[in-house]
Amino acid sequence: NEMQTYLYLQTIDKRWKDTHSVRFGGTWNAVEDTFSLSLGGFWESAAVPLNYTNIDFMSFQRFGLGGGFHYTFAGIDLNVAYMYVAQEDREVDEKKGKVFQMRPLFPCPDNCSGLSGVPANAGKLTSEYHQLNVSMGFHFDQWF
């Protein structure tokens, strides 16, 4: 038997679009140069059209709220922040799915127009996430 080697390039159509967002927030300096509180939020439109929804880039319509504080003491800055982001739930019908199964080793049979014919993004997707950030900064010039 003679082994043959093939090179196939896979193209995944995304159809991403520009997003629009509204952002708001502010910081209150409760104790000058020592303690401050921040609060903010945002809304953002989706970059991914419904029928191209996939788990690799879940940029759906979303909103987020966050807050945090900054505290300075003895030449040390302590920052703590939290953010919650919720995205819309998405449901893609198998008849309307536009992300198709990739078949790099066994390409699509003849007459299928470059697609395998099997949508791989059907189903319901839900997502949200929580983010907690903690950082410390050291002012060595104040210590020495």
Side-chain angles (χ1 to χ4, degrees):
N1 282 340
E2 187 177 307
M3 183 182 263
Q4 295 181 344
T5 303
Y6 297 97
L7 174 63
Y8 295 101
L9 298 176
Q10 297 291 327
T11 300
I12 303 172
D13 192 11
K14 298 292 186 182
R15 303 279 171 104
W16 292 338
K17 54 187 178 181
D18 292 342
T19 62
H20 305 282
S21 66
V22 176
R23 299 173 186 274
F24 61 91
T27 299
W28 173 52
N29 292 315
V31 178
E32 189 69 34
D33 297 325
T34 303
F35 183 75
S36 61
L37 292 170
S38 298
L39 184 64
F42 72 91
W43 167 86
E44 186 175 277
S45 65
V48 178
L50 178 64
N51 294 339
Y52 289 85
T53 297
N54 201 356
I55 61 171
D56 65 346
F57 188 70
M58 295 176 55
S59 177
F60 311 156
Q61 179 172 265
R62 60 179 112 186
F63 75 90
L65 295 172
F69 69 87
H70 171 89
Y71 181 61
T72 299
F73 61 98
I76 298 172
D77 289 338
L78 173 64
N79 299 289
V80 177
Y82 167 79
M83 182 171 66
Y84 170 72
V85 177
Q87 297 197 112
E88 68 177 318
D89 293 345
R90 289 224 169 158
E91 190 158 0
V92 180
D93 187 286
E94 192 170 345
K95 295 175 187 172
K96 296 182 179 178
K98 299 292 184 187
V99 178
F100 291 90
Q101 177 185 27
M102 305 310 290
R103 301 175 66 171
L105 298 179
F106 299 101
C108 182
D110 293 339
N111 302 321
C112 68
S113 303
L115 303 174
S116 70
V118 180
N121 67 324
K124 183 173 183 175
L125 286 90
T126 60
S127 72
E128 66 179 6
Y129 55 93
H130 304 266
Q131 204 173 359
L132 178 65
N133 300 292
V134 178
S135 70
M136 292 182 75
F138 301 95
H139 298 271
F140 294 112
D141 60 333
Q142 292 180 16
W143 295 354
F144 302 106

